[in-house]
Amino acid sequence: MSFKDQLQQDLDVFFNDEEFTDEALLESGETISVYFDEKDDVVFDSGLDSDVSASVVSVTCKADDVASLVHGDSVIVNNMTYYIIDMDPPQSGVRKLYLSEDRP
């Protein structure tokens, strides 16, 4: 078994909503496990001379669980509906989604 395969199996341990994570309901109706962060300070590339910084809600999840999501899709966490406003590229099988209560 390769290290990459082992890492993928280990993700199931850490993304376990019975112990470590929250459940999130995706627009597709699928439920996944996420780490929910109420305020995450991020800097967005505005494409202009200066970037934009903000405190936003984010979730960290298994990249395979959110491979088909796009900007504007809804995610329900803790009975609150959020919309995807940005996504980090997948790293080591994990992906971070930045969320807003306002539809983009």
Side-chain angles (χ1 to χ4, degrees), residues 79-103:
N79 296 317
M80 290 289 300
T81 301
Y82 299 98
Y83 300 93
I84 299 171
I85 57 172
D86 201 11
M87 296 181 274
D88 284 345
Q91 292 184 322
S92 301
V94 176
R95 190 164 201 182
K96 190 171 215 175
L97 311 178
Y98 299 96
L99 309 173
S100 172
E101 291 180 31
D102 301 318
R103 184 179 286 275

Side-chain angles (χ1 to χ4, degrees), residues 2-104:
S2 72
F3 176 72
K4 189 174 183 178
D5 293 334
Q6 184 66 42
L7 180 63
Q8 192 64 35
Q9 283 185 335
D10 289 346
L11 288 177
D12 292 336
V13 173
F14 294 103
F15 286 93
N16 175 348
D17 63 331
E18 292 181 13
E19 296 182 44
F20 300 115
T21 59
D22 293 302
E23 281 189 351
L25 177 62
L26 305 180
E27 195 166 300
S28 66
E30 181 182 2
T31 301
I32 64 170
S33 296
V34 299
Y35 285 96
F36 180 74
D37 190 357
E38 287 192 37
K39 294 294 176 189
D40 198 6
D41 294 328
V42 295
V43 176
F44 295 102
D45 181 6
S46 67
L48 304 172
D49 290 336
S50 60
D51 294 328
V52 176
S53 64
S55 289
V56 297
V57 172
S58 67
V59 293
T60 303
C61 47
K62 292 193 298 187
D64 288 347
D65 288 348
V66 295
S68 64
L69 295 184
V70 297
H71 292 255
D73 281 355
S74 65
V75 178
I76 300 173
V77 182
N78 297 329
N79 296 317
M80 290 289 300
T81 301
Y82 299 98
Y83 300 93
I84 299 171
I85 57 172
D86 201 11
M87 296 181 274
D88 284 345
Q91 292 184 322
S92 301
V94 176
R95 190 164 201 182
K96 190 171 215 175
L97 311 178
Y98 299 96
L99 309 173
S100 172
E101 291 180 31
D102 301 318
R103 184 179 286 275

